[in-house]
Amino acid sequence: MSSHAGSGGGRTKPHLLAHSPLDNVAVAVIEGLSANTDALGVITEDDSTFAVHVRHDIPIGHKVALTDLKAGDTAIKYGQDIGKIIQDVAKGEHVHVQNLKTKRW
């Protein structure tokens, strides 16, 4: 991992949160998550950590792709289907209205 992991099991605050190991997007939980950041993420369901290289500036509360997503794929957040990817998104890129559409309407 990056220098964000501390020694003795400690770590700094995460940049990203996912809720389930099934999630393919995570949410930015800090202000000013900048492009080219090696971000620390936590999966809250099992308290495991992950790292992802963030490719875009991500506003707090917005999503980041944890894997390469192709048009037609389902976005999974909180272990739930939150919509359909409508434009390819590479791992570490911003997932938002430009590339994700709800299936509700």
Side-chain angles (χ1 to χ4, degrees):
M1 193 174 293
S2 67
S3 62
H4 299 294
S7 60
R11 62 176 183 255
T12 61
K13 289 185 179 181
H15 300 94
L16 303 168
L17 286 182
H19 295 276
S20 167
L22 303 175
D23 290 355
N24 58 16
V25 298
V27 177
V29 292
I30 64 163
E31 291 283 356
L33 181 51
S34 300
N36 297 315
T37 297
D38 290 324
L40 171 67
V42 171
I43 298 173
T44 60
E45 188 175 289
D46 60 11
D47 200 33
S48 62
T49 60
F50 61 90
V52 63
H53 183 77
V54 175
R55 297 176 175 215
H56 298 147
D57 292 343
I58 309 294
I60 191 168
H62 284 229
K63 295 170 290 301
V64 175
L66 297 180
T67 63
D68 291 337
L69 300 169
K70 300 292 182 194
D73 287 350
T74 296
I76 304 293
K77 178 176 133 183
Y78 310 125
Q80 302 293 316
D81 176 341
I82 62 161
K84 180 173 76 173
I85 299 296
I86 58 172
Q87 178 181 330
D88 292 357
V89 185
K91 181 179 180 178
E93 290 185 344
H94 189 201
V95 176
H96 198 52
V97 297
Q98 76 277 9
N99 51 30
L100 175 67
K101 181 171 175 46
T102 182
K103 295 177 183 175
R104 293 182 186 164
W105 52 80

